[in-house]
Amino acid sequence: MTMRAERGRVWALAIHGGAGAGRQEDGAEALEREIRHALADVLDATAHLLSSGAAALEAVEDAVVRLEDSPLFNAGKGSVLNERGEFELDASIMDGRTLRAGAVAGLTTVKNPVRAARLVLERSPHVFLAGPGAEAFAAREGAELVEPAYFETERRRAAFEAAKRNAQRALPGDTGTVGAVALDVHGNLAAATSTGGLTSKAVGRVGDSAVIGAGTFASNASCAVSCTGHGETFIRATAARDVAALVEYSNLDVEAAARRVIHERVASLGGEGGLIAIDTRGRVAFAFNTALMLRGAVTHDSPRRVGIRIDDLR
Amino acid sequence: MTMRAERGRVWALAIHGGAGAGRQEDGAEALEREIRHALADVLDATAHLLSSGAAALEAVEDAVVRLEDSPLFNAGKGSVLNERGEFELDASIMDGRTLRAGAVAGLTTVKNPVRAARLVLERSPHVFLAGPGAEAFAAREGAELVEPAYFETERRRAAFEAAKRNAQRALPGDTGTVGAVALDVHGNLAAATSTGGLTSKAVGRVGDSAVIGAGTFASNASCAVSCTGHGETFIRATAARDVAALVEYSNLDVEAAARRVIHERVASLGGEGGLIAIDTRGRVAFAFNTALMLRGAVTHDSPRRVGIRIDDLR
C-alpha cells in the first residue's frame, strides 16, 4: 500500500469500446484515430470526476453514457441492427459496495440504456427488466427518450445490409460493446456495460451485457469487470463473475484471473472477446483473444493510456 | 468411489418446488399432502429415465415439465400473476458436459417454458431470448402453445387479489419456483429451473430463473445447481455459479458450498430462498433459509425421499 493509498487518494478507471477482428474497411485508419481520441476524451472527463471524489458507480455510468453518445461504438447511438433492421439495446450496472445491480434488455427508445439500468438499480424493487416493461419503467422514471432513428449510423446500416447479403445471422467479429470499471477514492468498485448486441441478431436476443455475472460484475470483495465479445459464450462462462471468483476464491491477482477467463475458459468454449477489470488496489487488467480491443485506462498515479492492438499497451 | 461408480451406474436426481414462508392458508394440510405426492411422482418418473441411461439434460427437462404441468407449483400451470394480472414465465436449462445453455423470459403462451429453453439450447445461435422474440422462436420450433387462461388457478388468483388489496408489489414469501438437477450414468450433470416469478411483479421483470449463473448452473467441473427464492438477490449473488465456483475454486464439498451461498452470501444481502445441488459423485445438497422448501431426491443407492420442513430430511 503506497502513501497515497493510506491518504485515500487511490482511484482507477478503465474503459472499453469492444473487441473484434479488425475487418478491413474503407477509412480504417481515420476511424482508428477517431476512436483513440474518443476513448481519451472519455477517460479525461470521467477521471476528473473520480479524482474529485465521485463514487465509482457515478463514474462508470458517466463513462458509459459518453461512449453510448459517441456514434463510433456499438451502444446507444451507433448501435448495430437486429435481424429486422431495428435496434434492441442491453445494459447493466453494478455497485461493488452493496452488490446492488440494475439490468435492462431490449430497449428501443431510451437514449442511454445504462441510465435505465441505473434507474432500475436505484428505484425498482427488481434487478432486471426486459422489453416494453423496461421501456415503460425507464420512461416513467424520467429517462430521456428518442426516436429509434437516433441510433442509426451509415456504418452499422452498411454492416446490416452486408450481413443480409451473406445470410449471416450474426457477425461476432466487430461488436463494439462499451463498458467501464472504476475504483473510487472511498475504496469502492463499480462496473457497467452497454451494447446494441450482434449485427442481425434475433428479435428478443439478450446478450451478456444485460446479464449480471456474465457481462458485468463488481464486488468490493474482489474486483469490477466489464466484458465484450461473443455474448452467448460469456453467459455460458459466467465470465465477469468468474474473474471475480478466481480473485476471491483462488487468490489469483486480477491480471491472472482476467487472462485465465479469456484465454482458457472463454477460449475453450470457442468464444472470442475481451474484458477489463480493476481490483480493490486499483490494479487494471485487460485481456482479449481477438485481434483488437478498443480500450484505455488512467489511475491516480499512471497517465491516461489508450490502445487498440495487442501491443499498444499491456 | 464405490464399485457401482466404477461400473458407471451412479446417478442422482433432486428436485424442488420452491422455498417460502409457509403462510397459513385454508386447507394447508391437504395441500401439503398433495405436494408430497406430486414431488414423489415426479421423482419416480424421472428416476426411471435416469436409471435407464437417459442423459441428465433429458432428465432435468422431464422433471421440470412434470412440475410445470402440476397446478401446485408456481411454474407453467399454476404460475402467479404479474402486476397486470397476466402471466410472464421464465425458465433456463444448462448442460454440464458442454456448458451449453438456453434461457427464456417473459413467455405468455408457451405451455412448458423449460421446453422453450431447451429449444434455445439446441436450435438457436443465441443462449437467451426474451419477450415476443422468445415466444416467436418457440412457436416456430414447435413448442406447444396454450391460451394464457391455461396457466390460471384459483389459488394464485386469490394471492394476486390479496396482494392488490395490500398494495404489495411482490410477495417474496411463497414463490413455488420449480427446478431439477441430475447426474446421469454417463457422468454428466445438468440443471433446469422454471417459474412464474413473484406475485404482482412488474411487467418485464426477469428473475433469476432465466439467468444462467443466478438461478441455474451446471458444469461437470463442479456441480449442477437450481435455485428458488427472492430472484433479485440470487441475481446479485450469482448464486448458482457461486455454489459451483466454491466447489471448483475453493475445494468445498457441494453441501458446504450450498450452505455458504444461502446462509452467508444470500442471507447477507437480505435474501430468502434455497437451492438444490448435485456434484459429480452424485452427492445431493439442499440449503434454504426459509421456513419451508418443497424438495426431494433419489439416487442409484438411496431411496426416494421428499421433504417440506427443515427437519423432514437432511
Side-chain angles (χ1 to χ4, degrees):
Chain A
M1 202 68 96
T2 66
M3 203 157 76
R4 282 176 189 236
E6 285 155 4
R7 281 154 58 199
R9 301 308 299 175
V10 171
W11 58 267
L13 171 68
I15 61 174
H16 70 77
R23 287 174 292 154
Q24 293 303 320
E25 51 183 320
D26 289 346
E29 240 177 83
L31 182 63
E32 199 175 304
R33 266 196 310 276
E34 274 190 89
I35 285 170
R36 284 177 184 275
H37 278 128
L39 292 171
D41 287 350
V42 171
L43 286 170
D44 289 348
T46 305
H48 181 73
L49 283 183
L50 277 171
S51 64
S52 308
L57 192 63
E58 298 297 334
V60 296
E61 181 183 354
D62 178 79
V64 170
V65 163
R66 292 172 191 277
L67 292 162
E68 287 175 338
D69 287 346
S70 164
L72 296 169
F73 307 105
N74 173 19
K77 185 167 188 64
S79 284
V80 301
L81 294 80
N82 73 8
E83 61 182 351
R84 276 205 208 137
E86 298 168 347
F87 299 96
E88 291 191 302
L89 312 183
D90 298 344
S92 60
I93 189 166
M94 188 162 187
D95 179 354
R97 183 174 67 83
T98 59
L99 301 189
R100 290 173 74 197
V104 288
L107 298 182
T108 60
T109 64
V110 175
K111 186 184 176 208
N112 291 106
V114 74
R115 283 211 200 284
R118 177 75 190 275
L119 287 168
V120 171
L121 183 154
E122 297 290 347
R123 302 192 199 165
S124 171
H126 302 309
V127 163
F128 193 176
L129 296 175
E135 198 97 338
F137 170 82
R140 216 160 49 229
E141 296 294 340
E144 187 177 354
L145 304 183
V146 292
E147 292 297 318
Y150 163 81
F151 299 116
E152 182 150 342
T153 54
E154 234 175 86
R155 184 167 160 239
R156 303 300 188 185
R157 170 64 65 180
F160 170 70
E161 300 296 347
K164 277 181 75 170
R165 274 197 304 277
N166 299 322
Q168 282 177 279
R169 281 195 62 82
L171 283 175
D174 200 336
T175 66
T177 294
V178 307
V181 291
L183 170 72
D184 66 30
V185 297
H186 316 289
N188 296 316
L189 291 164
T193 311
S194 179
T195 192
L198 300 174
T199 297
S200 210
K201 68 182 180 180
V203 172
R205 179 261 189 182
V206 181
D208 65 317
S209 303
V211 176
I212 296 300
T216 303
F217 189 79
S219 166
N220 282 3
S222 49
C223 57
V225 186
S226 171
C227 300
T228 172
H230 184 248
E232 279 67 17
T233 314
F234 282 74
I235 292 174
R236 294 163 59 204
T238 60
R241 175 55 181 146
D242 243 54
V243 175
L246 286 165
V247 170
E248 190 172 350
Y249 302 139
S250 279
N251 249 332
L252 261 58
D253 67 49
V254 67
E255 171 81 27
R259 293 182 63 82
R260 171 132 23 130
V261 168
I262 291 298
H263 297 290
E264 296 179 27
R265 193 161 164 81
V266 169
S268 74
L269 297 174
E272 297 200 324
L275 63 84
I276 57 175
I278 288 182
D279 72 7
T280 50
R281 290 160 64 178
R283 288 181 297 198
V284 176
F286 301 106
F288 56 105
N289 64 355
T290 44
L292 314 180
M293 184 163 83
L294 320 181
R295 62 203 191 280
V298 54
T299 77
H300 66 102
D301 68 354
S302 70
R304 176 244 292 162
R305 54 206 172 113
V306 162
I308 293 186
R309 290 192 185 65
I310 185 104
D311 46 6
D312 278 346
L313 58 88
R314 303 307 301 233
Chain B
M1 202 68 98
T2 65
M3 204 158 77
R4 281 175 190 237
E6 284 155 6
R7 280 154 58 197
R9 301 307 300 175
V10 171
W11 58 266
L13 171 69
I15 61 174
H16 69 78
R23 287 174 292 153
Q24 294 303 319
E25 51 183 322
D26 289 346
E29 241 178 80
L31 182 63
E32 199 175 304
R33 266 195 309 275
E34 275 190 88
I35 286 170
R36 284 177 183 276
H37 277 129
L39 292 170
D41 287 349
V42 172
L43 286 170
D44 288 348
T46 305
H48 182 73
L49 283 182
L50 277 171
S51 64
S52 309
L57 192 63
E58 299 298 335
V60 296
E61 181 182 355
D62 178 77
V64 170
V65 163
R66 291 172 192 277
L67 292 161
E68 285 175 340
D69 287 346
S70 164
L72 295 169
F73 307 106
N74 173 19
K77 185 167 188 65
S79 284
V80 301
L81 294 78
N82 73 10
E83 61 181 351
R84 277 205 206 138
E86 298 167 347
F87 299 96
E88 291 191 301
L89 312 183
D90 298 345
S92 60
I93 189 166
M94 187 161 186
D95 179 353
R97 184 174 66 86
T98 59
L99 301 189
R100 289 173 74 198
V104 288
L107 298 182
T108 60
T109 64
V110 176
K111 186 183 176 210
N112 291 108
V114 75
R115 283 212 199 282
R118 177 74 190 275
L119 288 169
V120 171
L121 182 154
E122 297 291 346
R123 301 191 200 165
S124 171
H126 302 309
V127 163
F128 192 175
L129 297 175
E135 197 97 338
F137 170 82
R140 217 161 48 229
E141 297 293 341
E144 187 177 354
L145 304 184
V146 292
E147 292 298 317
Y150 162 80
F151 299 116
E152 183 151 342
T153 53
E154 234 174 86
R155 184 167 159 239
R156 302 301 188 185
R157 170 63 65 181
F160 170 69
E161 300 296 346
K164 277 181 77 169
R165 273 197 304 278
N166 299 321
Q168 280 177 279
R169 281 195 61 83
L171 283 175
D174 200 336
T175 67
T177 294
V178 307
V181 291
L183 171 72
D184 65 30
V185 297
H186 317 290
N188 296 317
L189 291 164
T193 311
S194 179
T195 192
L198 300 174
T199 298
S200 211
K201 69 182 179 180
V203 172
R205 180 261 190 181
V206 180
D208 66 316
S209 302
V211 176
I212 296 299
T216 303
F217 190 79
S219 167
N220 282 2
S222 49
C223 56
V225 186
S226 171
C227 300
T228 171
H230 184 247
E232 280 68 16
T233 314
F234 282 75
I235 292 175
R236 294 164 57 205
T238 60
R241 175 55 182 144
D242 243 53
V243 175
L246 286 165
V247 170
E248 191 173 349
Y249 301 140
S250 280
N251 249 331
L252 260 59
D253 68 50
V254 67
E255 172 80 28
R259 294 183 61 82
R260 170 131 24 129
V261 167
I262 292 299
H263 297 289
E264 296 179 27
R265 193 162 164 80
V266 168
S268 75
L269 297 173
E272 297 201 323
L275 63 83
I276 57 176
I278 288 181
D279 72 7
T280 51
R281 291 161 62 179
R283 288 180 297 197
V284 175
F286 301 108
F288 56 106
N289 65 356
T290 44
L292 313 180
M293 184 162 85
L294 320 180
R295 63 203 190 280
V298 54
T299 77
H300 65 103
D301 68 354
S302 70
R304 175 244 293 163
R305 53 206 173 114
V306 163
I308 294 187
R309 289 191 187 66
I310 184 103
D311 46 4
D312 278 347
L313 58 86
R314 303 307 302 233

